[in-house]
Amino acid sequence: MSALPSGFIRTQDVLHEQLSGQRVRELELQYGNEELLYGLGVLGLSGPFSRVTPWELEDEHAVRRINASGYAAMPFGEMPPAITAFMHEFLTHNRAMGLPQQSSSPWRAALEANLVRLLARELPSHADSQVFFCSSGTEAIEGALKFAKAYRPRAKYAISFGSAYHGKTLGSLSLTPNPEYQDIFRPLVPGAVTSPYGDLDALKRLIRRLGPDTIYAVVVEPIQGEGGVNIPPAGFLSGLGEICRRHGIPVIADEIQTGLGRTGHWFESAAQGLDPDLITLAKPLGAGMTAVGATIVRAPIYKTMLGGLSSKRHSNTFGGGALAMAVGLKSLEYLIDNDLPTRSRELGEIGLSRLQALHRRFPQLLEAVRGQGLLLALQFRPMVGLPLPAMLREIVFEATAILALRELHLGGVMANLSLSSKRTVRLTPALDMPADVFATLMDRVEAFAQTHPNSRDLLLRTPPQVTTRLAAFAATKPKKRTPSDG
């Protein structure tokens, strides 16, 4: 065996944990996203972390924490046994072509069929819909936008909603109204316009002003995840669907976070009375083990873009790969066999009830709590209550959530920030988390609230050296902030 060049790291060194945590951080800081890893390091959140159980991780000092992070992409926890065992079986026995770009594929065919059949159980109008696979949620949105634009080629506007998050590639970013992420990349895709989330009258006025024939898509999250678990008022989604159907405007439901059980339903859009024309999926399909994205499209819209000799008009190199499709198929099977949407709904009701009790007990810490299924949010009161200029206010909002994330971490809970809601922290635990582990998770959140009854405590309990380093780090960030949370 030839020797690797000097300094190269062998796979066996990583597999058998020969790299120390300190060495991992050094390499990441030198060769990766240095600023992100530095900020996480200041907070003590950078890891690396190792799996103890699917629902618990430990750091290099053997401190265990319950994992409620992962941004809804870990439906069964870390390296779930049912999926990893199947992957071993797949790698041993599969003979199907790995990247069947110009041929049929049994794995892709099975997942296509199962997704459409599952959707058609909730929305019968999708019985003849078709599927396009990719490798991420933002790619699924990009594909959906192209399908809709091809269907209405003369239209020039796409409508999204305030606080929306659809991804960070150029098309999806254009529909994510967040200046912090958008501004440096302008000009964005033209024609992206924004309407207030949950306001049906405002949407009607916008469509009337633009002209219905000029709009090629309305893109909506049934519940806004990165927006801080914003649940629209009853009737908003069904009303949106009626308006768009009347004018022939395709509706894209972004179910990347909400779809396939997270909110207690298979498809949150269907549960709220919306029958969208296109649905995007991603996170749970990969089971936290691989990358799978999917866009489900009504047949007439699908064929308009990919019909006849134009069937190569949109493609994706790794979308539909055998391993990704196999994991997606097994993930969907596991969700169905264990009725995880129902379990998510039941655990979520318990979790939300406990968060609501904490909100009542600690109103100086928590301004609001929200949740649907196992998509739960804690919105914190700002640490500084004095009137502040807009720029400084947004920094205080963000710092509040960051320090809350740190204190939760110290208390044994790994949580998520919300990219479009600066002082909101989310809990997205595995849908199959055992009831006793979930109860312990909520006990730890309660203990955190008891030791931080006022949001000022988040700052007071942070060591001065951490506060100083965070302030210096914040000074290097983009100056523009997205107005959020009032």
Side-chain angles (χ1 to χ4, degrees):
M1 181 176 64
S2 62
L4 288 175
S6 175
F8 270 57
I9 300 166
R10 287 195 173 274
T11 55
Q12 294 300 308
D13 291 340
V14 180
L15 184 64
H16 296 293
E17 302 179 18
Q18 298 302 302
L19 294 182
S20 68
Q22 180 61 32
R23 183 59 177 152
V24 169
R25 288 189 293 274
E26 289 172 355
L27 292 169
E28 289 265 52
L29 288 169
Q30 184 173 358
Y31 300 111
N33 188 340
E34 176 189 2
E35 297 295 318
L36 174 63
L37 269 296
Y38 175 81
L40 291 171
V42 170
L43 294 166
L45 306 178
S46 63
F49 301 102
S50 302
R51 175 188 184 276
V52 179
T53 71
W55 314 283
E56 296 173 287
L57 302 177
E58 69 177 14
D59 62 21
E60 62 197 292
H61 307 295
V63 176
R64 291 191 181 190
R65 294 176 175 88
I66 297 175
N67 187 16
S69 64
Y71 291 90
M74 310 294 291
F76 322 126
E78 190 71 35
M79 295 187 66
I83 306 300
T84 53
F86 168 74
M87 291 177 75
H88 282 291
E89 187 179 4
F90 171 89
L91 294 171
T92 301
H93 298 291
N94 176 65
R95 294 180 63 246
M97 187 177 182
L99 285 177
Q101 296 172 324
Q102 297 185 92
S103 69
S104 57
S105 161
W107 294 109
R108 188 174 61 217
L111 186 54
E112 288 166 348
N114 285 2
L115 282 173
V116 171
R117 288 166 181 166
L118 182 68
L119 177 59
R121 292 196 318 179
E122 311 292 317
L123 299 170
S125 69
H126 277 279
D128 63 344
S129 287
Q130 295 171 267
V131 186
F132 187 92
F133 287 113
C134 56
S135 301
S136 66
T138 193
E139 291 174 287
I141 290 290
E142 296 282 354
L145 292 172
K146 288 180 69 177
F147 277 112
K149 178 64 174 171
Y151 190 65
R152 289 194 132 195
R154 295 183 180 179
K156 58 183 180 179
Y157 296 110
I159 298 174
S160 65
F161 294 91
S163 298
Y165 182 87
H166 298 294
K168 293 196 182 88
T169 50
L170 202 59
S172 57
L173 179 63
S174 302
L175 294 166
T176 298
N178 188 323
E180 185 176 351
Y181 303 130
Q182 288 183 332
D183 280 358
I184 197 173
F185 302 109
R186 295 184 186 280
L188 299 169
V189 175
V193 292
T194 305
S195 187
Y197 187 67
D199 188 337
L200 207 54
D201 290 334
L203 178 63
K204 291 176 183 176
R205 290 193 297 270
L206 179 58
I207 291 174
R208 189 162 51 245
R209 177 170 65 82
L210 297 176
D213 292 342
T214 70
I215 301 164
Y216 64 88
V218 172
V219 189
V220 64
E221 297 161 275
I223 295 174
Q224 291 185 329
E226 299 299 338
V229 190
N230 297 324
I231 302 171
F236 173 69
L237 287 181
S238 59
L240 180 157
E242 291 172 9
I243 293 167
C244 292
R245 189 160 46 251
R246 189 183 316 139
H247 295 299
I249 301 170
V251 175
I252 300 170
D254 181 343
E255 294 258 21
I256 290 162
Q257 283 201 38
T258 58
L260 303 182
R262 171 63 57 183
T263 65
H265 304 105
W266 283 110
F267 300 94
E268 182 62 30
S269 51
Q272 293 192 40
L274 174 65
D275 191 348
D277 301 287
L278 306 95
I279 293 179
T280 59
L281 301 169
K283 294 178 182 289
L285 277 176
M289 298 298 293
T290 189
V292 186
T295 307
I296 307 177
V297 189
R298 293 196 191 281
I301 298 175
Y302 195 101
K303 287 179 168 59
T304 299
M305 184 166 87
L306 299 180
L309 293 177
S310 296
S311 57
K312 296 290 286 182
R313 190 181 271 154
H314 185 60
S315 59
N316 185 287
T317 300
F318 297 105
L323 177 60
M325 297 295 93
V327 170
L329 193 68
K330 185 63 178 180
S331 182
L332 198 61
E333 184 179 287
Y334 187 80
L335 284 161
I336 294 169
D337 285 347
N338 294 280
D339 193 12
L340 291 186
T342 297
R343 196 165 190 288
S344 177
R345 183 166 63 251
E346 293 171 350
L347 282 183
E349 288 170 355
I350 294 169
L352 181 59
S353 177
R354 293 194 62 174
L355 293 182
Q356 289 168 336
L358 292 179
H359 179 213
R360 290 190 293 270
R361 287 172 60 193
F362 303 107
Q364 297 307 309
L365 174 69
L366 296 169
E367 186 168 273
V369 298
R370 295 179 290 274
Q372 177 75 30
L374 288 177
L375 185 59
L376 301 165
L378 301 89
Q379 181 174 310
F380 293 91
R381 289 197 178 278
M383 296 181 299
V384 179
L386 299 174
L388 297 169
M391 173 65 184
L392 187 55
R393 185 175 66 245
E394 292 301 319
I395 292 174
V396 169
F397 284 0
E398 193 163 6
T400 299
I402 286 172
L403 293 185
L405 191 76
R406 177 181 182 273
E407 293 296 313
L408 282 165
H409 189 84
L410 292 174
V413 174
M414 301 175 74
N416 313 282
L417 293 174
S418 295
L419 297 182
S420 297
S421 182
K422 293 293 189 292
R423 54 193 169 101
T424 301
V425 169
R426 284 173 297 152
L427 303 173
T428 56
L431 310 187
D432 63 348
M433 180 175 283
D436 60 333
V437 178
F438 184 75
T440 301
L441 168 68
M442 300 311 299
D443 288 345
R444 292 179 182 179
V445 174
E446 182 174 352
F448 154 80
Q450 289 172 337
T451 53
H452 304 77
N454 190 300
S455 60
R456 291 194 303 271
D457 297 320
L458 298 171
L459 185 59
L460 295 174
R461 292 174 65 91
T462 302
Q465 64 268 28
V466 173
T467 306
T468 301
R469 292 175 69 194
L470 278 177
F473 178 64
T476 68
K477 291 192 68 178
K479 302 305 179 188
K480 196 166 269 192
R481 290 289 193 277
T482 303
S484 66
D485 304 325

